[in-house]
Amino acid sequence: MGRMDAALDKFNQMVNQGVSPDKAVYRCLVLGSCSHGDFVKAKELISEAVNRGLCSNSVFFYSVINDLCKEGKVKEAQDMFHFIVGIGQRPDVIMYTSLMDGYCLVGKVEEALRVLDAMKSAGLQPTAVTYAILLNGYCKIGRIADGLSLFKEMSLSGVKPTTIMYNIILDGLFRSGRTVSAKEKFCMMSESGIPVGIDTYNIVLSGLCKNNCTGEAIELFKKLRAMNVKIDVITLNIMISAMFKTRRIEEAKDLFATISAIGLVPSVVTYSLMMTNFIKEGLLAEADDMFLAVEKANCAPNSRLLNHVVRVLLEKGAVVKGANYLAKLDAKQMSLDVSTISLIVSLFSGEGKLREHVKLLPVKYQPPENSG
């Protein structure tokens, strides 16, 4: 709070010296007050800015509501919204939509719908962005049927569906296992002339793979390549995973080689996929080679990758290799994930299946002898 107090002191000095603060100064101080939880001061500053005629549009107020919502302080955002209305300001669609987004972010879609009703009652027309936020809110909490109803209502009210809306619906349908409906929506999207980009294709490819339609995903991927659609690393990660899942190891390797060949760069996710799947296939030397490739690339192995590799090795019973990667975690001053710690305790303590190999682990990771 010290820096905020210093900022307010400077502000008061400015006013006392006859310098009129502009909108940017007020905005900065209001946001700072909100982030420090001093909503009384924030409201006082807003009132001052309004009285000085510095808030002729809603951009000033939108940033306050938006920042609070992004921080998960939706109750405070709603309170600030009421205050802004109470001092005679008329919220616009952007402010209402931002508040709805806040409620959706914390899973309170019904509250978001109440804000939508209030917006309509104020004579404002919901936009495509408004509906997209609600769709996403429904899909995030698994209420895909309500999302589909909203999608239909939106279309009937004259709001044209966008690529983003279709992406949200497609992702929601695939996540809920409604593969047939997802494929129908995807066809509808294509036939409606809605732009279909790589983000959409990635959702469809991933959804098909997760719902045991890997063959269809591979066929679609081949079509994309034939159509010269510009794919990205996410696309290739999805397909590498699919190839390993269907035991097409050589094809997975070929796809990995494709990444550099078409001018892309493998991500940490790519390397993790290759290493963990090599380990599952018993190709430990190839997994080690892949790790060396990570270190040579401008893509340093992170804690998540190393923890994942350690878990897969230990689950396979490759204790010596697992211990080597635990040592790498130490050397890079990275910590074990909770799931890695739980696995070590489970495998090496008490009745764990690897308890006789516990001495192979670095001493600091050896569970106490009476654990389990």
Side-chain angles (χ1 to χ4, degrees):
M1 195 61 187
R3 293 182 72 180
M4 190 64 215
D5 289 339
L8 288 169
D9 286 343
K10 288 288 183 188
F11 171 77
N12 290 329
Q13 287 176 24
M14 182 189 300
V15 173
N16 292 336
Q17 290 170 7
V19 179
S20 297
D22 62 11
K23 184 162 57 178
V25 171
Y26 275 107
R27 179 177 174 275
C28 182
L29 290 174
V30 169
L31 293 176
S33 298
C34 286
S35 67
H36 284 85
D38 191 351
F39 298 104
V40 172
K41 187 62 181 177
K43 290 174 182 178
E44 179 187 312
L45 289 163
I46 288 172
S47 296
E48 275 186 35
V50 169
N51 291 336
R52 286 175 178 267
L54 297 174
C55 301
S56 56
N57 58 48
S58 70
V59 174
F60 182 96
F61 304 116
Y62 159 74
S63 59
V64 177
I65 301 295
N66 189 56
D67 276 30
L68 287 169
C69 287
K70 295 301 182 193
E71 291 176 15
K73 299 175 181 176
V74 188
K75 183 176 179 295
E76 291 83 355
Q78 180 73 72
D79 178 55
M80 192 63 73
F81 185 91
H82 287 319
F83 170 75
I84 290 166
V85 173
I87 60 173
Q89 300 300 306
R90 187 172 184 268
D92 63 5
V93 172
I94 297 173
M95 276 182 65
Y96 277 107
T97 300
S98 185
L99 187 58
M100 288 166 60
D101 189 29
Y103 278 120
C104 287
L105 286 172
V106 296
K108 295 183 177 181
V109 184
E110 296 305 322
E111 292 295 331
L113 285 170
R114 277 193 269 277
V115 176
L116 176 66
D117 290 339
M119 181 170 85
K120 289 177 178 177
S121 297
L124 298 171
Q125 183 64 34
T127 65
V129 174
T130 311
Y131 281 111
I133 283 168
L134 281 171
L135 281 173
N136 196 42
Y138 273 133
C139 291
K140 271 177 63 180
I141 59 174
R143 289 174 57 178
I144 189 65
D146 289 321
L148 289 168
S149 297
L150 183 68
F151 191 81
K152 187 181 290 185
E153 174 197 317
M154 172 201 74
S155 301
L156 292 173
S157 67
V159 176
K160 187 179 178 182
T162 64
T163 301
I164 291 173
M165 289 182 193
Y166 269 106
N167 286 353
I168 291 167
I169 286 290
L170 287 169
D171 187 54
L173 286 168
F174 278 121
R175 284 180 186 276
S176 62
R178 297 175 62 171
T179 313
V180 174
S181 295
K183 288 191 280 189
E184 288 173 353
K185 269 284 183 287
F186 181 52
C187 289
M188 185 188 301
M189 179 183 184
S190 302
E191 291 166 2
S192 301
I194 306 291
V196 180
I198 195 58
D199 288 347
T200 307
Y201 286 122
N202 286 343
I203 289 168
V204 175
L205 289 169
S206 178
L208 289 171
C209 291
K210 287 174 181 174
N211 286 280
N212 299 314
C213 301
T214 308
E216 290 182 57
I218 291 170
E219 286 305 310
L220 175 58
F221 179 67
K222 286 178 180 175
K223 285 181 185 175
L224 298 184
R225 299 300 300 275
M227 293 160 55
N228 291 319
V229 171
K230 191 174 182 181
I231 60 175
D232 58 19
V233 171
I234 295 171
T235 318
L236 289 163
N237 287 347
I238 292 165
M239 297 316 300
I240 286 170
S241 182
M243 293 306 176
F244 275 118
K245 187 177 179 181
T246 53
R247 306 297 303 280
R248 303 182 189 198
I249 315 302
E250 292 306 315
E251 289 179 63
K253 291 180 188 178
D254 289 342
L255 282 177
F256 179 77
T258 298
I259 296 175
S260 300
I262 61 175
L264 296 174
V265 179
S267 66
V268 172
V269 174
T270 316
Y271 286 116
S272 182
L273 274 171
M274 296 301 293
M275 286 188 69
T276 52
N277 278 289
F278 278 152
I279 294 165
K280 289 173 185 176
E281 294 294 332
L283 303 170
L284 301 188
E286 295 198 45
D288 286 342
D289 289 343
M290 191 59 63
F291 184 75
L292 291 174
V294 180
E295 294 197 308
K296 286 178 183 175
N298 294 323
C299 181
N302 59 21
S303 174
R304 186 174 179 181
L305 182 150
L306 285 167
N307 271 275
H308 194 184
V309 168
V310 167
R311 289 196 298 273
V312 177
L313 283 166
L314 295 181
E315 285 166 351
K316 287 285 289 184
V319 182
V320 174
K321 286 282 187 187
N324 288 341
Y325 281 94
L326 282 170
K328 293 180 193 297
L329 270 163
D330 265 0
K332 295 178 183 297
Q333 298 183 318
M334 295 176 180
S335 304
L336 294 187
D337 292 347
V338 172
S339 50
T340 308
I341 295 169
S342 299
L343 180 66
I344 289 172
V345 172
S346 171
L347 293 176
F348 294 93
S349 301
E351 298 302 313
K353 64 181 181 178
L354 298 178
R355 62 190 182 281
E356 68 271 22
H357 300 303
V358 69
K359 298 298 182 188
L360 296 172
L361 296 182
V363 174
K364 68 180 289 187
Y365 298 123
Q366 294 179 19
E369 291 183 10
N370 61 348
S371 294

